Amino acid sequence: MSIETSSPRPGSHSTAGSTQTVTHAKERRLGVASVTMMIIAASAPLTVLAGGVTTTFAVTGLLGVPLSFLILGAVLAIFAVGYAAMSRHVTNAGAFYAYVAQGISRPAGVGGSLVALMSYNLMQVGIYGLFGFTVSSLLSSRFGLNVPWWIPVIICIAVVAVLGVNRVDLSAKVLGGLVALEFLVVIVYDVVSFAVAPEGVTAAPLSPASLFLPGVGAVLSFGIAAFMGFESAAIYSEEAKDPHRTIPRATYTAVAVIAVFYAVSSWAMAVGTGPSQLFDAAGKQGPDLVFTFLSGHVGQLIAETAQVLFCTSLFAALVSFHNAVARYFFSLGRERVIPAWLEATSRHGAPKAGSLVQTGIAVLVTVGFAIAGNGADPLYPVLTMFTWLTNAGAMGLVLLMAIVSAAVIGFFRRRRHLAQGLWSAVVAPAIGAVALAVVFGLIVANFDVLLGQTESSPVSFILPALIIVPGVVGIFWALRLRKAKPALYQRIGHGEEGAKTHHLGEDD
């Protein structure tokens, strides 16, 4: 039996004027498969292959892209050891925020939370740029309709908003169906590519000699963006059926699937196109490299289906990142780090206020880019909105993962009674922190390349500032709360545990 109140939150409800928190079993809907699907949807398999892999081959001119996915997968798997171990003891929709707050310090946690909010928003909103261009191009080529890119975006924002305030398992089911179809199309592409192999099947793309050359930093920078979203499992911990088992299993499963699948698929692209023709073809055709290949070797129907699924792939990523942003807003609002009204949830237990705020941000940014790009090249939303925002978001998330690795060490060091093994409490997090710090440095060093620029411009500094400045502001805000509202400060990063001590009579 549950207690109904006017201010529910995912996984719990509080009675007015009381400190009691009651968990709703019916709101814990997500199992390992559902959470894994939410994670993989955020990485958008078909989008990574058609958009990310082709761009990486074209920009870097390195054949070792498949090997880079395996290397990055290994790095993130090591990161996941400590991350999963901590998830068994910290159940919080704020994920990174809670981990850093409890593992390093509350000011660092608040700073990290604002970096996470900005990073996820940049990733989510940036993808709308590619979505708008793709749908607009598809309508033009198939039906002769000249639709501005921002119209499909506004419609998509509305659909995502509806899913965002409904039951989270509804989103999982929608994403599950879309991701399954994506996998099927990419598997068909892979099989046919290895069968065609105009220059024969070669293992050169998996050779270290094809990767560790000048430009390897850019390859790793592009590659890490393909994994973004895998770390979001912990965000759903308050809605998982058994968070102590669901979150670690979903995280490990997602990393393994993403790494192997992208490595094989990018290898298939190199073999199917032919290593000697690959870079030129990728540069001239971009995403169409995949669809043209399918059209020529499988049939027009499959190629057109793949193009539609390319759009749904983007849509799946948009829903997944939207859910992540909404839950960060909820978590911070619940602890009064940001306005308390952001903890409001829908009757389904979804973070309604956070969802609506994220929707508003997406609308404002889309309108801004639409006005700025009026009359510009059709590729404008891809070259600016998509490229700029998603690369900046990936930069922020890599930085956060490096910090979280350090937080894992601090968390278990302060809680020796948990008797966590040395590997998961110290060694793996330390290796992960160093490796992710190196990847972050490579992203910074190759940021102009990632933005498609030959030299630095104001954008080269503005985008990183959008990540770093909120983090610094968050630290100072937490220090102010420590003096002005010490009771509130003590609850930072402790989720429902901290909420239990909250009284409505307290000055928030």
Side-chain angles (χ1 to χ4, degrees), residues 158-176:
V159 176
V160 171
V162 171
L163 289 174
V165 298
N166 275 282
R167 285 169 36 179
V168 68
D169 59 330
L170 175 62
S171 291
K173 290 174 182 176
V174 172
L175 297 183

mmCIF file of all heavy atoms in Angstrom, residues 158-176:
data_model
loop_
_atom_site.group_PDB
_atom_site.id
_atom_site.type_symbol
_atom_site.label_atom_id
_atom_site.label_comp_id
_atom_site.label_asym_id
_atom_site.label_seq_id
_atom_site.Cartn_x
_atom_site.Cartn_y
_atom_site.Cartn_z
ATOM 1 N N ALA A 158 8.235 18.001 -28.927
ATOM 2 C CA ALA A 158 6.917 17.781 -28.323
ATOM 3 C C ALA A 158 6.690 16.311 -27.985
ATOM 4 O O ALA A 158 6.185 15.969 -26.912
ATOM 5 C CB ALA A 158 5.823 18.286 -29.257
ATOM 6 N N VAL A 159 7.081 15.419 -28.899
ATOM 7 C CA VAL A 159 6.904 13.980 -28.661
ATOM 8 C C VAL A 159 7.783 13.514 -27.504
ATOM 9 O O VAL A 159 7.341 12.762 -26.626
ATOM 10 C CB VAL A 159 7.235 13.179 -29.937
ATOM 11 C CG1 VAL A 159 7.150 11.686 -29.660
ATOM 12 C CG2 VAL A 159 6.285 13.560 -31.066
ATOM 13 N N VAL A 160 9.025 13.966 -27.489
ATOM 14 C CA VAL A 160 9.943 13.605 -26.406
ATOM 15 C C VAL A 160 9.408 14.109 -25.070
ATOM 16 O O VAL A 160 9.504 13.422 -24.042
ATOM 17 C CB VAL A 160 11.350 14.170 -26.681
ATOM 18 C CG1 VAL A 160 12.247 13.991 -25.454
ATOM 19 C CG2 VAL A 160 11.974 13.486 -27.888
ATOM 20 N N ALA A 161 8.823 15.300 -25.084
ATOM 21 C CA ALA A 161 8.267 15.867 -23.854
ATOM 22 C C ALA A 161 7.147 14.996 -23.303
ATOM 23 O O ALA A 161 7.047 14.791 -22.090
ATOM 24 C CB ALA A 161 7.751 17.281 -24.118
ATOM 25 N N VAL A 162 6.293 14.476 -24.186
ATOM 26 C CA VAL A 162 5.194 13.610 -23.754
ATOM 27 C C VAL A 162 5.738 12.335 -23.111
ATOM 28 O O VAL A 162 5.285 11.910 -22.046
ATOM 29 C CB VAL A 162 4.274 13.255 -24.941
ATOM 30 C CG1 VAL A 162 3.269 12.178 -24.529
ATOM 31 C CG2 VAL A 162 3.539 14.496 -25.429
ATOM 32 N N LEU A 163 6.740 11.723 -23.741
ATOM 33 C CA LEU A 163 7.342 10.522 -23.166
ATOM 34 C C LEU A 163 8.039 10.826 -21.853
ATOM 35 O O LEU A 163 8.064 10.001 -20.930
ATOM 36 C CB LEU A 163 8.336 9.910 -24.155
ATOM 37 C CG LEU A 163 7.742 9.255 -25.400
ATOM 38 C CD1 LEU A 163 8.854 8.819 -26.347
ATOM 39 C CD2 LEU A 163 6.880 8.058 -25.019
ATOM 40 N N GLY A 164 8.609 12.029 -21.753
ATOM 41 C CA GLY A 164 9.374 12.391 -20.568
ATOM 42 C C GLY A 164 8.554 12.492 -19.302
ATOM 43 O O GLY A 164 9.083 12.316 -18.198
ATOM 44 N N VAL A 165 7.258 12.781 -19.409
ATOM 45 C CA VAL A 165 6.418 12.917 -18.216
ATOM 46 C C VAL A 165 5.564 11.684 -17.982
ATOM 47 O O VAL A 165 4.721 11.669 -17.091
ATOM 48 C CB VAL A 165 5.508 14.171 -18.310
ATOM 49 C CG1 VAL A 165 6.337 15.433 -18.381
ATOM 50 C CG2 VAL A 165 4.582 14.077 -19.524
ATOM 51 N N ASN A 166 5.769 10.643 -18.778
ATOM 52 C CA ASN A 166 5.038 9.390 -18.603
ATOM 53 C C ASN A 166 5.907 8.349 -17.914
ATOM 54 O O ASN A 166 7.066 8.600 -17.578
ATOM 55 C CB ASN A 166 4.550 8.862 -19.955
ATOM 56 C CG ASN A 166 3.224 9.478 -20.360
ATOM 57 O OD1 ASN A 166 2.170 9.093 -19.877
ATOM 58 N ND2 ASN A 166 3.283 10.472 -21.250
ATOM 59 N N ARG A 167 5.347 7.170 -17.712
ATOM 60 C CA ARG A 167 6.067 6.098 -17.040
ATOM 61 C C ARG A 167 7.390 5.823 -17.739
ATOM 62 O O ARG A 167 7.455 5.724 -18.960
ATOM 63 C CB ARG A 167 5.225 4.821 -17.044
ATOM 64 C CG ARG A 167 4.086 4.832 -16.085
ATOM 65 C CD ARG A 167 3.132 3.685 -16.306
ATOM 66 N NE ARG A 167 3.785 2.450 -16.720
ATOM 67 C CZ ARG A 167 3.128 1.318 -16.955
ATOM 68 N NH1 ARG A 167 1.809 1.280 -16.827
ATOM 69 N NH2 ARG A 167 3.770 0.232 -17.320
ATOM 70 N N VAL A 168 8.454 5.679 -16.934
ATOM 71 C CA VAL A 168 9.777 5.497 -17.514
ATOM 72 C C VAL A 168 9.865 4.196 -18.302
ATOM 73 O O VAL A 168 10.608 4.089 -19.275
ATOM 74 C CB VAL A 168 10.863 5.547 -16.411
ATOM 75 C CG1 VAL A 168 10.756 4.335 -15.491
ATOM 76 C CG2 VAL A 168 12.248 5.648 -17.021
ATOM 77 N N ASP A 169 9.087 3.166 -17.897
ATOM 78 C CA ASP A 169 9.158 1.918 -18.655
ATOM 79 C C ASP A 169 8.508 2.043 -20.020
ATOM 80 O O ASP A 169 8.775 1.263 -20.929
ATOM 81 C CB ASP A 169 8.560 0.751 -17.868
ATOM 82 C CG ASP A 169 7.099 0.988 -17.497
ATOM 83 O OD1 ASP A 169 6.714 2.142 -17.315
ATOM 84 O OD2 ASP A 169 6.364 -0.004 -17.393
ATOM 85 N N LEU A 170 7.647 3.054 -20.201
ATOM 86 C CA LEU A 170 7.092 3.317 -21.529
ATOM 87 C C LEU A 170 8.204 3.762 -22.465
ATOM 88 O O LEU A 170 8.313 3.294 -23.602
ATOM 89 C CB LEU A 170 5.993 4.389 -21.452
ATOM 90 C CG LEU A 170 5.411 4.857 -22.790
ATOM 91 C CD1 LEU A 170 4.752 3.691 -23.516
ATOM 92 C CD2 LEU A 170 4.398 5.987 -22.565
ATOM 93 N N SER A 171 9.049 4.674 -21.986
ATOM 94 C CA SER A 171 10.198 5.109 -22.781
ATOM 95 C C SER A 171 11.101 3.927 -23.099
ATOM 96 O O SER A 171 11.599 3.790 -24.213
ATOM 97 C CB SER A 171 10.999 6.175 -22.021
ATOM 98 O OG SER A 171 10.274 7.380 -21.917
ATOM 99 N N ALA A 172 11.314 3.059 -22.106
ATOM 100 C CA ALA A 172 12.195 1.911 -22.305
ATOM 101 C C ALA A 172 11.652 0.986 -23.385
ATOM 102 O O ALA A 172 12.399 0.454 -24.206
ATOM 103 C CB ALA A 172 12.365 1.151 -20.990
ATOM 104 N N LYS A 173 10.332 0.780 -23.388
ATOM 105 C CA LYS A 173 9.731 -0.096 -24.401
ATOM 106 C C LYS A 173 9.834 0.507 -25.794
ATOM 107 O O LYS A 173 10.117 -0.192 -26.770
ATOM 108 C CB LYS A 173 8.273 -0.354 -24.033
ATOM 109 C CG LYS A 173 8.099 -1.245 -22.802
ATOM 110 C CD LYS A 173 6.644 -1.353 -22.394
ATOM 111 C CE LYS A 173 6.500 -2.206 -21.132
ATOM 112 N NZ LYS A 173 5.094 -2.262 -20.654
ATOM 113 N N VAL A 174 9.584 1.805 -25.897
ATOM 114 C CA VAL A 174 9.714 2.489 -27.190
ATOM 115 C C VAL A 174 11.145 2.387 -27.691
ATOM 116 O O VAL A 174 11.406 2.036 -28.848
ATOM 117 C CB VAL A 174 9.291 3.964 -27.074
ATOM 118 C CG1 VAL A 174 9.623 4.718 -28.364
ATOM 119 C CG2 VAL A 174 7.795 4.071 -26.781
ATOM 120 N N LEU A 175 12.106 2.686 -26.807
ATOM 121 C CA LEU A 175 13.508 2.647 -27.197
ATOM 122 C C LEU A 175 13.942 1.224 -27.546
ATOM 123 O O LEU A 175 14.714 1.004 -28.474
ATOM 124 C CB LEU A 175 14.381 3.192 -26.067
ATOM 125 C CG LEU A 175 14.156 4.655 -25.683
ATOM 126 C CD1 LEU A 175 15.145 5.062 -24.603
ATOM 127 C CD2 LEU A 175 14.288 5.560 -26.883
ATOM 128 N N GLY A 176 13.435 0.248 -26.787
ATOM 129 C CA GLY A 176 13.805 -1.141 -27.042
ATOM 130 C C GLY A 176 13.444 -1.587 -28.443
ATOM 131 O O GLY A 176 14.245 -2.224 -29.134
#
